[in-house]
Amino acid sequence: MATTTGGKLVYRLEEGSASMSQLLGGKGAGVSEMVRIGIPVPPGFVITTEACLKYYELGRKFPDGLWDSIVQSMHHLEAESGKEFGGKDNPLIVSVRSGAPISMPGMMDTVLNLGTNDVTAQGMAKLMGDERPALDAYRRFIQGFANIVLGIEKDKFESLLDQAKEKRGLKFDYELQADALQELIANFQSVVKEIAGHPVPQDPWDQLRDAVQAVFSSWNNPRATTYRQYYGISHDMGTACVVMGMVFGNLGPDSGTGVMFTRNPATGENALYGDFLVNAQGEDVVAGIRNTQSIFSLQQDAPDLYRQLEEKARSLEGHYREVQDIEFTVESGKLFILQTRTAKRTAASAVKIAVDLAREGVITQEEGIGRVVPDEIAQVLLPRFDVEAKAKALEDDTRLAQGLGASPGAATGAAAMDPNTAVAMAERGQKVILVRPETSPDDVHGIIKAQGVLTSRGGMTSHAAVVTRGLGKPCVVGCEELHVDLEARTATANGTIIKEGDFISVDGATGEVFIGSVATFSPNPAELTELNTLLGWADEVRTLKVWANADTPEQAKEARAYGAEGIGLCRTEHMFFAEERLPHIQRLLTVGTEASRLLREVEQLTATLEKAPATELERLNTLLNEAKTTLVSSEVVKAFNEELTKLEAFQTEDFYGILLAMEGLPVVIRLLDAPLHEFLPRYVDLVKEVAVLEATGASGDELEEKKRIRDVVEELIEINPMMGHRGCRVGVTMPEIYEMQVRAIVSAAAQLTKEGHAVHPEIMIPVVSHVNELHFLHDRLERVAETTRVSFNVDLSHKFGTMIEVPRAALTAGEIASVAQFFSFGSNDLTQMTFAYSRDDAEVKFLREYVEREVLPVDPFTTLDIKGVGRLMQIAVEEGRAANPGLEIGICGEHGGDPKSVAFCHSLGLNYVSASPFRVPVARLAAAQSALGQLKLAE
Amino acid sequence: MATTTGGKLVYRLEEGSASMSQLLGGKGAGVSEMVRIGIPVPPGFVITTEACLKYYELGRKFPDGLWDSIVQSMHHLEAESGKEFGGKDNPLIVSVRSGAPISMPGMMDTVLNLGTNDVTAQGMAKLMGDERPALDAYRRFIQGFANIVLGIEKDKFESLLDQAKEKRGLKFDYELQADALQELIANFQSVVKEIAGHPVPQDPWDQLRDAVQAVFSSWNNPRATTYRQYYGISHDMGTACVVMGMVFGNLGPDSGTGVMFTRNPATGENALYGDFLVNAQGEDVVAGIRNTQSIFSLQQDAPDLYRQLEEKARSLEGHYREVQDIEFTVESGKLFILQTRTAKRTAASAVKIAVDLAREGVITQEEGIGRVVPDEIAQVLLPRFDVEAKAKALEDDTRLAQGLGASPGAATGAAAMDPNTAVAMAERGQKVILVRPETSPDDVHGIIKAQGVLTSRGGMTSHAAVVTRGLGKPCVVGCEELHVDLEARTATANGTIIKEGDFISVDGATGEVFIGSVATFSPNPAELTELNTLLGWADEVRTLKVWANADTPEQAKEARAYGAEGIGLCRTEHMFFAEERLPHIQRLLTVGTEASRLLREVEQLTATLEKAPATELERLNTLLNEAKTTLVSSEVVKAFNEELTKLEAFQTEDFYGILLAMEGLPVVIRLLDAPLHEFLPRYVDLVKEVAVLEATGASGDELEEKKRIRDVVEELIEINPMMGHRGCRVGVTMPEIYEMQVRAIVSAAAQLTKEGHAVHPEIMIPVVSHVNELHFLHDRLERVAETTRVSFNVDLSHKFGTMIEVPRAALTAGEIASVAQFFSFGSNDLTQMTFAYSRDDAEVKFLREYVEREVLPVDPFTTLDIKGVGRLMQIAVEEGRAANPGLEIGICGEHGGDPKSVAFCHSLGLNYVSASPFRVPVARLAAAQSALGQLKLAE
């Protein structure tokens, strides 16, 4: 509802201020504010929203006194500007604009060049020293007035305009000369008369009255109504109507028009930046008929104007306490500011400007923190396409295809269609992009050597996506337009064929793929002084710790350099994917089921024996001895143990490196999580190979071995591997693997302790859904840990905790916290289970469509879903802490690097978020903004 | 803690009662109770738990006066029995048994035949007229006493026993004659002396004192302590010690021993039932040396004894108000009841007995309801193997393999290795079992014609399992021992080869597979008078409605016959699997993605146009017209619409039938739920076929067509289909399918209404995770429904609701209930998501192991997990009802037929449970027991 103001329906700009937007609309209040602080704006006045509401109350009639006030204000305007409304020598031309209290861009109407008629047009022409621009303004006015006030379709005029150009063999509107425009004006008026019954009125007062009514009416046009309904904006506010004198930059060499930024929007440099066009109107800039000159050049060419501009720029920036983007016009030597608004800027300049403004005392440090959108920090840090190189690529139309941006950053290199070729090419010193239908563990050595990865299949959690994100390498997945033909060694998209060795470029943030090499650029974080200053300020205010997800010592070092205060997720399975290790884990798995069954049998018999009634003892003892004999002589058990020993050596080395890199800080190591078949060749490939061998009459060892592997893989594949035999389930059914990992962790930590390093390992169990899983593993693993520690004879402690990534774990957090010393939300999986979305499938099949059509407000894998996933997290935090007040709680899903999700984690009172190394700075800033209440929660 | 009783440490049986188990232990109180109600039991007394506790307090010493009381009680026993403890003519022989207040079977110790020594053994021999049994009792006593009192390992004696038999070439213990036993007794005593330093004492009083101490000590033996820890039983209760005279059934022709049931445990017939062996001890029955005679025959052979037995049987049954299983011995014409307990019985007899007891007034109707375990009702109704036929099969060792019982019931038939063969064989009148590695929609026509299904792969939610459960056909899946060779037309398990056409038999309840034909037996529900009586009583008391899951009119009729009060789940996708329909849905899907994309484009442009600013209208209009033109001429859209029309006709017919069958009752129809690739051939098969064709140099149309299908399927397959593009997600991305289904539902209902039938369709949306999905579909589908209804010009209403099967739906139930008129818990999927268990994978890979090792207390797919899944359900019920008080809430997962889960649903206040038709009676009984508080919740 509009405020009641005791009947005053028209305000001069001098009477308003920024705080009066309810009454004067956003635009009216904004211009008034400029006047208030002494900025020269064209003279004008505002008809209030209240006038608009009364207009509707009276059944679309002006309330008493309104017209009189308008006329009076117009006279004031004439006096102020020294111009005459409808005058033939120096006519006052005005704009009549709508302006609601809440911005509704493009929804309501505006009439420009009002006051133009046959007489004043000639006056304008004289002033401008040229008939063409004056008549063009007149032509535009008729068109606009007819459309907005009289409701005549634009087509009518556009077709006349086209005919006029055609007749004269012209291409652009501005090429029409005075005679043509005269003819057009006459034709326009005939059309108006034909449709509306009368031409556009010559009397400027008639024009004004009609235009104000049209602006009022536009408040309730269908577009505006729908818009308000959609965005939940009240229908009761009404629109104000701003009438301002139009100023002309084309009245001679001492006139002109321009746009300036108070600081450089690309670099943040504190100097005016922008363009100026002498003796021209804004539309001339758009038409591109003449080249602009830089604002900077005015320092020499028009020092007085430059001084004025500088002064107004400082004044506006100081007033709004933010860098401004300012439109201005100089009319016969007089400067008018037409509009000022917060300037859009690049990420790098946003950081510099925030730090500079704070240092200059314009804003506080805390405000400086709030001035940078956290995601922009990632942009500052990532390798990216050189702006000009990318613009050129787009201009040259070398975009090949569009996929899902799975791991951000840009890269360029020669296409390699398999990992061995990639390695060979890389070893010859070539930069390589690995191009595959999809990747598997067999590709990891190729991924490591490649600059980036491109796959035609797979989603945001596909193998390629996960591995590259871990490695911080650019990756585009799910590029469905692309067909990779491994036999022909080509990748084809939209008719373009890329041969192996051809250069391509990928942008892992946008998912774009280009043909050829697009230059990239990589900033050095240490050199980003302003960024480091800003993050230093952020660190002072935030309460949430920021840890990082890192799987290797290199990544850990990188994370530390980015400011990580711990490792929240070290994924051990990625360690198994390395080329020299994969055969061992594969052999382990092919014997594991059988070996573990035998080992379990002995264990179970031993346990049964302990509880057995006396009468059963003998029988059980016999069985136990038999089982033990089988065990000792079993080849599979021997192989199983051999591979475990080898893997333990590898893992000990891994953990030694990462714990050393994070000396003094906690490192959360997650035990094996991945479904087992991920370590093995693809089932469908094996089936195909066997079938082909058989069809071509092959026999003998090769076929038999392939069949054997196919059968092993067949036993391990699952229908829904995400919800299958993985994580702690493998830990329970095949405990030897987790025991090996714990031995490796504790050995590495104990060795480091002996060497005088302070290390803080935390052992994390994945995919827990029932407290008993944790009890079972806690008992076994803590026994192994203690034995190992004692064998090193050192003082060493570690934490034992669990992922909370299964809904049931969150729902029974109280029970689970009785065994766990820490929780880490695996929010990727928790989101998958809570929504029943398989991320790999959902992203490709329906999730994009859901977000586009607003079925979902946001992709829940990007930003935490508060109502569902967040509720489970809240239950887990509350009930976990109630059961175990010292419980350490963090999050290690990708949400840990998403600012809105960080804000939610802050609100839940988590101890830390853990993000990819390069998103650690993003999280640091987001955590600070959360602590300062600057970052709003989603939905 | 034991009750304090003012120092009385020994109770005669006459002094005790059933209520004194805390003091006298369970056994002591039970025997006392029999004495109290006039049942002749051997004389005896009880040393209290308090005596045991004092014994421990005093550091394992008898408290003052205890021994005196024991001696006094022994003398009383002598007087009562007319026997002398240690006497040489008519010696008193006793048992000394442990007996704690809470039953701990087999955990503590008991000494039998106490009082035997060189002298009394001879007295016994004289009484028995045979030295062998007397000496055998002596031999056993020494063995037991040595083991229990002196802690000597049993092995020592067993090896001597083995030597004794070996020396004489004997096989069984009972074949050892008196001389051999004498020698054995001497050897036993030597061993005892060697180890313990003295032989087993000859003085019976020494024997007694030592035995009582041993019984007390056994309270704290490691087995008992572990057991109590495990079951959470207090360590402070102590054990009582029961001393009773032993009676002998082998003292001559007027002695004997037997077991009787007060009613027939197989049929429930109200007549004594059991076996009797004249002049024999209990162990003779076990040894199987002589044939027993039926109790029934005593009516003629020993009418007096029979009369006594009958009287005691009535008395005990009347007292315990339950059918009894009674052990008794006749010593020299005198009847002693040794033990009575509630009789185990078959399901059928349990029903009859409960109804009879209630009718006889022994128990109330409500108690009668509580006397039958609900699951037993399913056993009564299902076809099952004839008991004798199965026993013979087991005896003949014809069990072929063991799988997962996926759909209960037993079936026998000739093995058919593919569906077409199955159909052909069935059409020749043969009974067929379809044997496959796993099944797919292509097999459905074969499944329909088969008696049962056996697959070597797949779990409890595999295609075969789901389809057969729906059809009520026996099915065994995941039979991993079985290798099905489709080329050789054989199935091999454990070395046995079944050829196509060979008979096999499957039990879908136990998962057993037999070679050959095992006779089956199918009860007719209408003829089960007692069952129907009991269920009638149940219906009177229950508050929870019982609906059924049924997909066809036949199933609906069956469900109604079983007492279903509605259809809680009619799965529409199963309708698509029928042979004549599958090609249509397949064609629909192969064009669907493309067609729907075009249709969506037009829709989206239309929507954008409505909201667009005036300046955009023209451009958008052009785009829209172009899109419409493309649409009209599109072949895929044409094909899409054609198939939709055909499927609509099929579906209308389906719904007509099922709504008619359920006239007057609600029918919840779930719109398409299954992942789309389920309707298509298997991807791996297609890849193989293409590869083989290519490898063998094929080319041309066949190859191209195969490749095309492979590519279509490749686009539809998913990594985790359970969490992929299914349910309402397809409804949103391809709304035409759901619209077609709603048209079919409303058309069928409208037609029926026109014909004068009252029908109550409810439209259910599956896999909802966000309220917006429901909003989107509600808007579209209600529009379609209304248009359809209007076109029939009838008055018809339906409900619109949703499955709650995704955790997020439960967590946001308040929002969802604002759009839904009903909730139906899809507890199968909800369990999958809450635990992150893919049922198909989990059952095979780790769930059995979890349950066996008690990591999980129960399979959560069988019985609802209250703490996790149940908590989500509770949130949904509370917040759903708060938002929409009229919300109808049911459950349609398989838990709807599981009694403990029914109890939980009752406690949550659901409106109904929906179960498979044949489990409707189970649910009716369970619902009644829940209402009566007779059914306890799990965990």
Side-chain angles (χ1 to χ4, degrees), chain A residues 715 815 845 867 879, chain B residues 715 815 845 867 871 879:
Chain A
E715 215 171 280
E815 288 183 352
K845 308 275 176 182
K867 286 186 182 166
E879 300 182 9
Chain B
E715 213 171 282
E815 288 183 351
K845 308 274 177 182
K867 286 188 183 168
R871 182 170 184 181
E879 301 181 8

Side-chain angles (χ1 to χ4, degrees), chain B residues 48-63:
Chain B
T48 66
T49 53
E50 211 172 324
C52 172
L53 293 176
K54 285 196 175 149
Y55 170 78
Y56 278 108
E57 270 172 37
L58 296 169
R60 304 200 180 224
K61 283 208 170 66
F62 278 176

Side-chain angles (χ1 to χ4, degrees), chain A residues 612 715 719-720 722-723 729 772-773 808 815 834-836 838 841 845 850 855 865 867 871 879, chain B residues 223 715 719-720 722-723 729 772-773 808 815 835-836 838 841 845 850 855 865 867 871 879:
Chain A
E715 215 171 280
I719 298 169
N720 298 287
M722 181 58 62
M723 307 162 75
R729 298 161 193 176
N772 287 357
E773 295 172 314
R808 197 180 184 285
E815 288 183 352
T834 306
F835 276 87
S838 159
D841 303 309
K845 308 275 176 182
Y850 265 38
V855 172
D865 158 58
K867 286 186 182 166
R871 183 171 184 179
E879 300 182 9
Chain B
R223 261 181 304 142
E715 213 171 282
I719 299 169
N720 299 287
M722 181 58 62
M723 308 162 75
R729 297 161 193 177
N772 287 357
E773 295 172 315
R808 197 179 184 285
E815 288 183 351
F835 276 89
S838 159
D841 302 309
K845 308 274 177 182
Y850 265 37
V855 173
D865 158 58
K867 286 188 183 168
R871 182 170 184 181
E879 301 181 8

Side-chain angles (χ1 to χ4, degrees), chain B residues 382-656:
Chain B
L382 277 175
R384 49 189 182 268
F385 287 136
D386 179 87
V387 177
E388 284 174 20
K390 176 163 170 184
K392 176 143 193 334
L394 286 171
E395 208 181 295
D396 295 349
D397 205 12
T398 60
R399 209 166 76 153
L400 176 67
Q402 175 72 40
L404 297 170
S407 177
T412 190
M417 301 327 190
D418 71 65
N420 295 332
T421 309
V423 170
M425 285 164 72
E427 280 170 0
R428 289 198 303 269
Q430 240 181 323
K431 290 195 170 185
V432 172
I433 304 289
L434 182 63
V435 181
R436 300 284 283 166
E438 61 195 319
T439 68
S440 78
D442 294 334
D443 293 311
V444 171
H445 57 296
I447 296 174
I448 289 169
K449 293 288 183 185
Q451 300 298 309
V453 176
L454 168 61
T455 71
S456 57
R457 301 159 59 77
M460 298 296 278
T461 51
S462 62
H463 178 263
V466 172
V467 171
T468 51
R469 278 200 295 271
L471 295 168
K473 265 182 212 294
C475 178
V476 173
V477 298
C479 189
E480 298 191 338
E481 301 159 85
L482 195 75
H483 178 74
V484 182
D485 186 333
L486 294 177
E487 278 165 51
R489 317 300 293 173
T490 58
T492 312
N494 306 317
T496 304
I497 300 173
I498 302 296
K499 289 194 296 293
E500 189 155 55
D502 287 355
F503 264 66
I504 58 172
S505 303
V506 296
D507 186 332
T510 62
E512 289 166 307
V513 183
F514 292 94
I515 307 160
S517 183
V518 179
T520 63
F521 155 81
S522 279
N524 174 353
E527 290 170 6
L528 300 168
T529 325
E530 278 96 356
L531 178 62
N532 292 323
T533 302
L534 187 76
L535 290 174
W537 297 345
D539 291 346
E540 286 170 25
V541 298
R542 70 186 162 89
T543 53
L544 195 60
K545 298 265 176 210
V546 178
W547 296 12
N549 300 347
D551 305 340
T552 62
E554 293 68 40
Q555 287 173 10
K557 279 174 207 152
E558 190 186 5
R560 211 166 176 162
Y562 281 132
E565 298 160 291
I567 298 298
L569 178 62
C570 170
R571 283 164 289 222
T572 53
E573 54 274 8
H574 292 169
M575 300 172 179
F576 294 133
F577 286 137
E579 203 182 357
E580 75 278 19
R581 301 177 182 188
L582 200 54
H584 295 292
I585 180 89
Q586 288 182 337
R587 187 155 170 249
L588 183 83
L589 295 178
T590 58
V591 298
T593 309
E594 173 67 4
S596 198
R597 197 187 56 71
L598 290 171
L599 289 161
R600 275 319 66 65
E601 204 173 298
V602 170
E603 261 177 28
Q604 271 179 310
L605 278 169
T606 310
T608 313
L609 207 60
E610 278 168 22
K611 278 202 225 165
T615 50
E616 285 288 287
L617 284 179
E618 192 186 357
R619 193 181 60 82
L620 290 170
N621 243 321
T622 313
L623 285 175
L624 181 58
N625 287 330
E626 277 170 17
K628 280 183 176 164
T629 313
T630 313
L631 198 67
V632 170
S633 64
S634 160
E635 283 303 318
V636 290
V637 173
K638 219 173 287 171
F640 188 62
N641 287 329
E642 265 171 38
E643 299 306 339
L644 282 171
T645 308
K646 277 179 203 142
L647 288 167
E648 187 181 325
F650 286 131
Q651 291 250 286
T652 309
E653 205 183 301
D654 294 330
F655 299 137
Y656 183 93

